[in-house]
Amino acid sequence: MKTIIKNCRVFNSDKSVIYIDDGRFADEFSENEADEVIDAKGATVLPGLVDMHVHFREPGYEYKETIATGSAAAAKGGFTSVCTMPNTFPVCDNAAVVSGILKKAEQAGLVRVYPIGAAGKGLESEELAEIGLMKEAGIVAVSNDGKPIATSGFMRKVLEYSADFDIPVLNHEEDPTISGGAMNEGEVSTSIGIRGCPTAAEDIMIARDIILSEYLNIPVHICHVSTKGGLRMIREAKARGVKVTCETCPHYFTLTDSSCENYDTNFKMHPPLRSEEDRLAVIEAIKDGTVDCIVTDHAPHHQDDKEVEFSHALNGIVGLESSFALCYTYLVKPGIITMERLMDLMCYNPSSILKLGRGGMDKGDDADLTLMDLENEFVFEKDKMLTKGRNTPFDGWKLYGETMLTMMKGKKTYEKLC
Ligand SMILES: [Zn+2]
């Protein structure tokens, strides 16, 4: 199968045509030889995006999302690789579940799925999961995400044991002994009468993980950072050579806790939306290189889990289909960061932290790409999403950066119907 994409701009290149032969980027050939010629109409070809933090809910919670529906949402968002968190049912803490996820992902065939295994059996911080066997089955990292790795002693064990297998550790940072509220603890939570979760809950555990990483000289990756204090500590640790990396999400630089004022549960997630000061600190840390990756923390829920009182609603929002557009509109378009930096955040850095080997656009590399319209504004509509979840806070937002086409290994995985 030979494909030509013409009339495009190509990221990091002065080319305006892309040639794909048998699933790989190729040298020029004539249109007569091509099976398909796609007119990109001026849109921009980017390397396929990588999201190292998503929740696909299968096995166990298929009413919220399946690997097939999550994969379709990922492709629509321009992603060609995603890493799935292990808080499924049963928990992904053994090789059988890992193999099951990979099989379903292959059947769906819309995105490369890299499973993340649990660090502790059952996502508990008691007994190590079968990390070696899970690595053989295909995991790329361990995490108890959804829950923190609760104690320093267990975190040390996880770091040391995973290092033996060369498996990265990703931690959800939240000290359970002072956490527990339904939103950020601050002026807004006080004024609307919702119990808050302090930034200190996140900061304390980030501090702990930096200390352990430095003491053991083992890398640690900090999940979805939302606080000014956490980012300051990560910045300082990096400066003195600690092997710490981190991620944040689009909602932490586009929204604050004031959005919770009308008790809309589509603004409830964990870590919670923070103050304006934290939001600005996230932008600063994206700009100065402290943040390594932007992830979605895509967390689809059924309406029944969200259409309840704010305090009782489950945490999380969907994100795969809005992430690139939010990043482009709020970071690149206003000139806060360059497109090169955005591709580091959304493709090259996550690929390198987890050793996925993705992002290449040279001859012979797998043709994983997405075609983005960066010129025309579009309205993001929740009813057009391909995820099963409807829990987005971005319905009706006017954005730039709509996906026109996504290809994984030269195969179309999403195409906008014009
Ligand atoms: Zn988390």
Side-chain angles (χ1 to χ4, degrees):
M1 172 88 180
K2 290 186 170 198
T3 310
I4 293 177
I5 304 176
K6 66 177 185 181
N7 296 327
C8 55
R9 295 171 202 208
V10 181
F11 170 71
N12 244 347
S13 152
D14 48 17
K15 285 188 233 166
S16 58
V17 189
I18 289 270
Y19 301 91
I20 299 161
D21 186 2
D22 197 22
R24 295 171 189 277
F25 292 106
D27 283 334
E28 189 174 340
F29 50 82
S30 75
E31 285 197 16
N32 298 335
E33 290 175 73
D35 299 288
E36 185 174 17
V37 178
I38 296 165
D39 184 351
K41 296 175 186 145
T44 299
V45 175
L46 299 171
L49 306 177
V50 179
D51 188 347
M52 66 183 283
H53 190 144
V54 304
H55 299 271
F56 274 3
R57 309 303 191 195
E58 187 175 0
Y61 306 100
E62 288 82 357
Y63 66 99
K64 293 174 192 265
E65 189 86 294
T66 63
I67 290 168
T69 58
S71 296
K76 188 176 175 193
F79 293 92
T80 52
S81 301
V82 298
C83 305
T84 52
M85 285 296 179
N87 59 340
T88 47
F89 186 77
V91 169
C92 182
D93 60 5
N94 63 76
V97 178
V98 175
S99 304
I101 290 169
L102 287 171
K103 201 174 154 196
K104 286 277 169 75
E106 204 183 320
Q107 283 166 2
L110 295 172
V111 70
R112 296 171 198 273
V113 172
Y114 298 93
I116 295 169
K121 281 191 182 161
L123 299 176
E124 297 302 325
S125 297
E126 302 285 334
E127 201 183 334
L128 285 168
E130 297 166 353
I131 296 173
L133 292 173
M134 286 195 292
K135 187 183 178 180
E136 280 172 29
I139 61 162
V140 295
V142 291
S143 179
N144 274 0
D145 188 62
K147 284 180 166 185
I149 295 171
T151 65
S152 308
F154 191 66
M155 183 60 170
R156 176 183 184 162
K157 245 192 212 173
V158 171
L159 284 168
E160 289 182 327
Y161 195 72
S162 304
D164 286 344
F165 292 102
D166 198 22
I167 280 283
V169 178
L170 327 176
N171 196 20
H172 171 118
E173 309 288 343
E174 181 182 353
D175 181 333
T177 64
I178 60 163
S179 181
M183 63 175 291
N184 182 48
E185 183 172 288
E187 274 172 43
V188 183
S189 67
T190 308
S191 78
I192 68 171
I194 296 280
R195 197 172 145 226
C197 168
T199 52
E202 187 170 343
D203 295 352
I204 287 167
M205 200 166 269
I206 291 176
R208 179 201 78 181
D209 287 350
I210 289 171
I211 290 167
L212 283 171
S213 168
E214 187 167 19
Y215 178 71
L216 301 168
N217 193 29
I218 294 173
V220 69
H221 179 83
I222 312 287
C223 288
H224 42 47
V225 185
S226 69
T227 67
K228 184 181 179 178
L231 291 163
R232 189 185 62 233
M233 288 185 282
I234 294 164
R235 182 181 293 117
E236 288 167 0
K238 283 185 163 192
R240 60 174 193 276
V242 183
K243 294 170 183 165
V244 56
T245 52
C246 75
E247 62 188 40
T248 192
C249 312
H251 38 278
Y252 299 124
F253 62 80
T254 54
L255 299 169
T256 65
D257 57 359
S258 63
S259 296
C260 303
E261 271 166 348
N262 57 3
Y263 304 98
D264 182 342
T265 58
N266 287 325
F267 295 88
K268 184 179 178 189
M269 71 284 291
H270 233 73
L273 297 173
R274 303 289 189 184
S275 68
E276 177 66 4
E277 210 183 332
D278 294 298
R279 187 184 77 86
L280 295 173
V282 169
I283 292 175
E284 190 53 40
I286 288 171
K287 203 172 151 184
D288 75 7
T290 303
V291 170
D292 298 278
C293 310
I294 292 176
V295 303
T296 61
D297 194 8
H298 179 79
H301 283 299
H302 191 267
Q303 285 183 334
D304 294 351
D305 297 324
K306 279 294 195 182
E307 286 175 3
V308 292
E309 218 180 287
F310 194 87
S311 297
H312 295 135
L314 294 184
N315 288 309
I317 60 169
V318 293
L320 283 165
E321 292 162 80
S322 51
S323 183
F324 175 81
L326 289 165
C327 292
Y328 183 74
T329 306
Y330 287 92
L331 298 174
V332 179
K333 208 162 161 46
I336 294 168
I337 61 169
T338 61
M339 189 58 120
E340 283 72 22
R341 172 80 178 126
L342 185 61
M343 287 305 102
D344 283 343
L345 292 158
M346 296 190 79
C347 175
Y348 299 114
N349 290 347
S351 173
S352 108
I353 290 166
L354 301 181
K355 303 179 191 83
L356 309 180
R358 293 289 135 216
M361 291 182 76
D362 294 327
K363 183 190 168 188
D365 289 330
D366 286 342
D368 285 14
L369 62 86
T370 183
L371 189 65
M372 292 288 181
D373 175 1
L374 305 180
E375 307 298 325
N376 300 299
E377 195 179 64
F378 74 104
V379 179
F380 183 78
E381 291 169 88
K382 75 172 175 186
D383 292 335
K384 290 190 178 162
M385 294 192 300
L386 299 182
T387 171
K388 276 193 185 181
R390 284 293 167 269
N391 47 319
T392 174
F394 301 113
D395 186 37
W397 282 40
K398 289 180 180 165
L399 301 170
Y400 290 84
E402 186 176 21
T403 313
M404 298 287 109
L405 175 82
T406 304
M407 282 182 162
M408 179 183 69
K409 219 173 174 211
K411 181 190 122 179
K412 280 183 202 171
T413 52
Y414 171 76
E415 189 174 21
K416 193 194 167 199
L417 301 170
C418 298

